[in-house]
Amino acid sequence: MDKTVYIGLLGAGTVGSGVIEVLNKNASEIEARVGAPVKIKKVLVRDAKKVRDGLDKATVTDSFDDILNDKDISIVVEVMGGMNPAKDYMLRAFNAGKCVVTANKDVIAACGKELFDAAKKNSADLHFEASVGGGIPIITPLKQSLTANKITEIMGIVNGTTNYMLTKMTEVGADYDAVLKEAQEKGYAEANPSADVDGLDAARKAAILASLAFNTRISLDDVAVEGITKITPEDIAFARELGYVIKLLAVGKDIPSKGIDVRVHPVLLPASHPLSAVNGVFNAIFVRGNAIGEAMFYGPGAGSLPTASAVVADIIDTARDILYGAVGRIGCTCYNEKPLCPVEETESSYYVRLLVKDEPGALGNIATAFGKNGVSLKSVVQTTKAVKHKAEIVVITHLVKHKNILGTMELLNTLPVVDTIKNVIRVENEEC
Ligand code: NAP
Ligand code: HSE
């Protein structure tokens, strides 16, 4: 009996071509590991006439129905990207009794429940390892290897483009516009870089990670998001002086009696924190669990072969489940309905950089504004600016609610002594 597991591949772009390459070059190992050959039977693309290296022309189609109606195909691998038709194709694949592997963070973050419900209804597998962290194993660790733990915190650098930009700004003191241009020239940032620099790509990944870590459904809309567009070389230099580096982090915390706190924003991270050493386009995810303690997963967050490594691992997992009659074995793990902690109630330390009039009593007035809002100061640094009669003040606060910082900024904005609030950035430190 032919036990070959056949795949319908949706997309033959960066990731799809990597999947084809890995399945071809590691075919014998994969067959040995699965117990049967794993082969691509059809490949869906937009432009079926385009010549593509490494792709058998006979397998190429521009009609999803060719894959849907092919009874031999048991796994649909979606690496097209975007919301629709990708989501529609995945739902139709489940309804046709096929399993699905996807790298699509957009669909998982926005419609994860709908997909899992369809997978369950049809007793099918749904795997999405490549949707966060590219080649880094993090979804399977959260769903399986760390499942003995109660996870209290997950924190990650999950966007390579912005990490590359912040690393360059830190290493060579370049400004935001210059590093964005360089990231675009290297092909990391898109011509429209918004999804990366405004934090939306990271927010989708944060929603997926928090759903898995805390076993409760978190959608993109639940994530408080801030990008890196306001970070300046001055902030990076002050951070360094104070012993921190600036990173764009996806943060998820399960706060007892408050709920789930999920956000994406730049933070000042102590230079000694393991995530501070993650540079360039690399990604890393730091997990705190009540059995393992601290663990960190590090590696390439994107790219053809690294991402294909995660997609093909999911294909192998699915093929094993099919051959052992165990499809649908690990379904949705969101069995809780935990409340969200409103962003105003979340707690952090803060870095506040102000340009103020250099006159007697200025510092006193500013300290009073923080005090009136219940914000306790940890350190204050003052430098005289090149700007005439102005001084620059950098304040680091103790742990404080976000609403108290918002109140402080509102009050500072009314003080004649304050010229400009230059930046307000959260600080991740020992107190948090
Ligand atoms: P890509 O290079 O743009 O490739 C997309 C492929 O899908 C192309 O082959 C395209 O066909 C096909 N396609 C798109 N829309 C289609 C439609 N409506 N009908 C038929 N075919 C269609 O994208 P990618 O970078 O490989 O990304 C794919 C997915 O992986 C996305 O969800 C992305 O977020 C995720 N991902 C990517 C990376 C990465 O490093 N690139 C890392 C992690 C996750 P044509 O070739 O004919 O245009
Ligand atoms: N645009 C993403 C990044 C890669 O820069 O990390 C795909 O998830």
Side-chain angles (χ1 to χ4, degrees), residues 334-355:
C334 292
Y335 51 79
N336 286 320
E337 280 188 30
K338 294 188 177 172
L340 281 176
C341 176
V343 70
E344 300 75 31
E345 295 296 324
T346 60
E347 288 186 350
S348 276
S349 291
Y350 285 83
Y351 155 103
V352 181
R353 182 162 67 89
L354 305 162
L355 192 61

Side-chain angles (χ1 to χ4, degrees), residues 11-15 45-47 52 79-81 85 103-105 130 302-303 307:
T14 306
V15 180
V45 291
R46 255 182 308 228
D47 178 3
R52 297 164 197 264
V79 285
M80 292 164 45
N104 195 322
K105 60 194 166 273
T307 309

Side-chain angles (χ1 to χ4, degrees), residues 6 64-76 87-100 115 117-125 322 327:
Y6 287 106
F64 176 64
D65 286 342
D66 285 349
I67 289 174
L68 195 68
N69 298 328
D70 189 324
K71 296 271 179 272
D72 288 343
I73 292 176
S74 52
I75 308 177
V76 167
K87 176 188 152 195
D88 177 51
Y89 289 174
M90 287 192 265
L91 291 174
R92 287 167 67 193
F94 285 132
N95 290 333
K98 300 180 194 299
C99 294
V100 172
L115 287 185
D117 286 350
K120 188 174 179 189
K121 194 170 139 218
N122 294 286
S123 303
D125 271 11
I322 291 169
V327 280

Side-chain angles (χ1 to χ4, degrees), residues 105 130-131 134 158-162 188 190 196 201 205 281 283 301-302:
K105 60 194 166 273
S131 63
V158 291
N159 183 270
T161 304
T162 48
Y188 300 144
E190 306 274 334
D196 292 320
D201 175 78
K205 294 166 181 169
V281 290
N283 283 197

Side-chain angles (χ1 to χ4, degrees), residues 97-117:
K98 300 180 194 299
C99 294
V100 172
V101 169
T102 179
N104 195 322
K105 60 194 166 273
D106 303 46
V107 178
I108 296 288
C111 314
K113 183 172 179 339
E114 205 179 335
L115 287 185
F116 269 112
D117 286 350

Side-chain angles (χ1 to χ4, degrees), residues 251-334:
V251 179
K253 293 184 185 183
D254 187 352
I255 308 173
S257 76
K258 277 193 176 173
I260 305 297
D261 167 21
V262 197
R263 34 197 167 92
V264 166
H265 48 68
V267 296
L268 270 73
L269 202 58
S272 56
H273 193 285
L275 286 171
S276 295
V278 176
N279 287 320
V281 290
F282 277 87
N283 283 197
I285 298 112
F286 174 91
V287 181
R288 199 186 299 278
N290 68 351
I292 193 166
E294 295 173 355
M296 195 164 100
F297 301 80
Y298 170 85
S304 182
L305 287 182
T307 309
S309 161
V311 174
V312 174
D314 278 351
I315 293 172
I316 291 172
D317 235 9
T318 309
R320 284 169 169 159
D321 281 353
I322 291 169
L323 291 173
Y324 284 88
V327 280
R329 190 173 65 91
I330 302 173
C332 179
T333 47
C334 292

